[in-house]
Amino acid sequence: MHVVVTGASSGIGEAIAREYLSRGAAVTLIARRRQLLEAIAAAAPAGRTYVLDRDLSDPAAAPAVLAAAEAALGPIDVLINNAGVQIVAPTSTTDPEAGARLLLLDLHTPLRLTQAALPAMIERGAGTIVDIASVAGLAPTPGMYYYNAAKAGLGAASEGLRGELRPYGVHVVTVYPGPVESAMEAAARERYESSGTVDRLPTGKPAILARMIADAVESRRPRVIYPWVYRLTRHFPNLTRWLTDAMTPRLRGAPPPRG
Ligand SMILES: NC(=O)c1ccc[n+]([C@@H]2O[C@H](COP(=O)([O-])OP(=O)(O)OC[C@H]3O[C@@H](n4cnc5c(N)ncnc54)[C@H](OP(=O)(O)O)[C@@H]3O)[C@@H](O)[C@H]2O)c1
């Protein structure tokens, strides 16, 4: 089995890469920080990894990584669209160019990579696309304007693709992580004023999420929402949107409220 993981150098992507290596798969590791990718590859048996240090923020250029991965490790069985960045800041002062770059990496690149991977998967009648969206796409978080848009878009695209591909034997797993320990999650937490709510948010472990994703791919389940309490965002969207709206603390540095 050949698994391609974007954003494999840290956090959730690193955990997914390690999980698949432990299951005996061949893994293509893609991200910008080559040293981190090589450290993961060094711990794997020879010939089972391929390291590609690439910036994926240009969606038109991104599909070239798939051709390189196939040339190195053979046909792609699982494409995991995981690479992403986050902006947590007052919307009125967010640099729109930074927002546009986020949309390219977090939304356009996964869609382009998926489109590029599909013809070969459809031809073989097998393969899985895994999209790492976010609970922020289901219950959008105040202070994450562009990120909410990107993750809601990716989640919707991913959910709709599943039915389209069913007749061809190609599967889609849509993943909605709530807070999961990583550099991104720690940085986001820092951006909000301290509050009992944020300090007590149930927070997951990347290794557990990675295991759940690999299991979902194997048993062809449609989606993963982790930690489990965030499944409420799917089943009770109105309630959880109201709660998220009401309980998210103020951003540090936000303009003072009026009145
Ligand atoms: N942790 C959470 O609480 C949480 C919750 C919901 C969703 N997610 C999603 O999970 C995914 C992984 O996030 P994480 O929490 O594991 O954060 P992370 O540790 O910061 O990982 C982000 C990954 O994306 C890669 N990346 C960033 N910019 C890139 C670029 N221009 N080109 C190629 N790769 C790039 C990074 O590698 P390099 O810097 O080496 O390029 C890194 O491997 C993201 O899509 C995130 O939105 C996370």
Side-chain angles (χ1 to χ4, degrees):
M1 175 188 272
H2 178 192
V3 182
V4 173
V5 185
T6 72
S9 59
S10 63
I12 294 169
E14 175 183 356
I16 295 169
R18 290 188 188 279
E19 176 65 26
Y20 271 108
L21 286 169
S22 79
R23 292 181 184 217
V27 180
T28 294
L29 306 149
I30 308 172
R32 292 167 302 178
R33 290 171 292 174
R34 186 172 187 91
Q35 276 188 333
L36 296 181
L37 299 177
E38 280 177 345
I40 299 166
R48 279 229 268 117
T49 55
Y50 178 54
V51 167
L52 269 175
D53 55 341
R54 292 286 189 282
D55 185 332
L56 294 174
S57 50
D58 176 358
V65 298
L66 300 184
E70 273 176 347
L73 295 176
I76 296 166
D77 298 292
V78 185
L79 167 64
I80 303 195
N81 286 312
N82 167 77
V85 291
Q86 192 174 50
I87 299 172
V88 186
T91 303
S92 61
T93 56
T94 296
D95 174 7
E97 294 305 324
R101 285 195 297 275
L102 182 154
L103 289 170
L104 289 176
L105 178 70
D106 290 18
L107 178 59
H108 290 272
T109 289
L111 302 191
R112 286 292 278 262
L113 287 175
T114 294
Q115 280 197 280
L118 283 184
M121 288 185 175
I122 289 170
E123 175 73 25
R124 294 200 316 276
T128 304
I129 305 292
V130 178
D131 292 309
I132 311 296
S134 170
V135 156
L138 297 172
T141 310
M144 300 187 183
Y145 188 61
Y146 284 94
Y147 186 77
N148 290 334
K151 293 300 184 178
L154 180 59
S158 185
E159 296 277 1
L161 186 62
R162 186 176 308 109
E164 180 190 332
L165 295 180
R166 194 169 293 117
Y168 309 105
V170 180
H171 184 51
V172 178
V173 178
T174 314
V175 183
Y176 301 94
V180 171
E181 289 172 7
S182 76
M184 181 188 288
E185 193 273 333
R189 204 174 275 260
E190 279 300 301
R191 294 293 298 122
Y192 292 96
E193 289 179 356
S194 186
S195 86
T197 328
V198 168
D199 299 343
R200 283 197 297 273
L201 275 181
T203 302
K205 305 271 184 209
I208 295 177
L209 177 58
R211 207 178 314 138
M212 291 172 74
I213 291 169
D215 287 347
V217 169
E218 202 174 301
S219 51
R220 294 176 86 81
R221 283 199 289 278
R223 64 188 68 76
V224 173
I225 305 178
Y226 168 80
W228 73 266
V229 69
Y230 297 98
R231 289 178 200 169
L232 296 172
T233 56
R234 182 158 181 275
H235 298 293
F236 302 98
N238 291 341
L239 172 69
T240 48
R241 283 178 182 202
W242 177 80
L243 279 172
T244 307
D245 193 20
M247 295 175 78
T248 303
R250 268 169 47 84
L251 284 166
R252 292 184 200 276
R258 298 189 62 172

